[in-house]
Amino acid sequence: MPDFRVVVIGAGLGGLALAQGLRQAGVEVAVYERDAALTSRRQGYRLHLDSEAHDCLLRLLPSHLGKLFLATAGMPDPRFVLLDEQLNQVMSQHSGQTTDFAVDRLVLRQILLSGIEDAVVFGKQFRGYETGSDGRVTAHFADGSQTGGDVLVAADGVNSVVRKQYLPHARVVDTGVRQIYGTIPLTQHTRALFDDTMFGIFTAVAGRERTFLGIAPVEFPEPPQDAAARLAPGTRLPPTSDYMTCSFGARREWFGDNLSTMSGPDLHEIMSEGVRGWHARVREIVAHCDPATMFAFPLRTSVPISPWPATPITLVGDAIHAMSPAAGAGACTALRDADRLTSALTAVKTGAHNLVDAIRDYESDMTDHGFTMVRTAAANGQRFLGQDPLPGQPS
């Protein structure tokens, strides 16, 4: 298919990674993102990537950007640790991976955008699509413009507009848990607040009333801007330094008020109140969480669905299998999707595979893996975070 074109809705991790992979394979790709820029919304800080996600990224990125990713990815101790509110160890579990990585979300997104800026259009709000008699798909935008392609990929996240039209029966539900996120700069003083057990992939401190505090490090092998200047001079990375993520979560009934409208200082006050009576070091950790970095949102999850007939429309990442963070697998699964879909669409471009058959094979693998991780994350979240059971699963 010499004029094969892929239209991607959404410039999150999955959408940008897919675009990088397709660009490397010589497939024409265009990405449309509703936000005005990568930095328009706070979407989180640290991401956990496992060995498979690492391998996917190195296949999808050109060599110099793969090296930049490695130069900006920390390698925490491969353990998940659970402590009680007085910092007594309750559980310690090895991740089971050969290597785990802790990366900054914005740094990774900037790396994924590098070199494909000409293929990404910001400020384009997707409204819907239609499929023509020739099988091509036309995407329509809020400003009245439209674009066509042989494939339309939903990479527009948990609130996917594409999914709502294409798979209206696919549900995303509230888990019943709310979480406040912030960061603590790792200085000589603040590092002393964290012992060695807290520098693993993730450390959870469980309190009463199903409250919990989560902490996890982001430590750069070298400053991201220095790494970019050395390895990819055209890539602009944010001026960030080592930090510890700090999150506080509880059931929605515990919070009561609408967290989404609260200021950073108000959220910091809630977090501080939540750990009152906990170990003095926990209270000190929370005291150092920067209110300017704090935001809150509800934890949501997709509900697995049965397979659907393959068409030139498909999905990646949270657009189809959003999950609780309790498995640390959301970003990993999105990158896995991008890698598998890149291979499938490259085979179509070269004539080695029929389009619908290629998408069917991709979706079979994607849903098997993605929905398995949704169920795993839901079970972990029910056990450790107090979230609601996944609909249709044992309570």
Side-chain angles (χ1 to χ4, degrees), residues 6 26 40 45 68 84 116 128 140 209 222 240 244 258 304 312 340:
V6 178
S40 294
Y45 297 105
L68 181 56
D84 67 20
I116 59 168
H140 297 274
E209 301 181 282
E222 66 179 291
T240 186
M244 189 74 79
N258 185 2
R340 300 302 195 274

Side-chain angles (χ1 to χ4, degrees), residues 179-183 202 212-216 245-249 271 289:
Q179 200 155 353
I180 300 171
Y181 290 87
T183 65
F202 189 77
F212 60 92
L213 188 79
I215 49 180
T245 56
C246 183
S247 60
F248 177 80
M271 186 184 288
C289 193

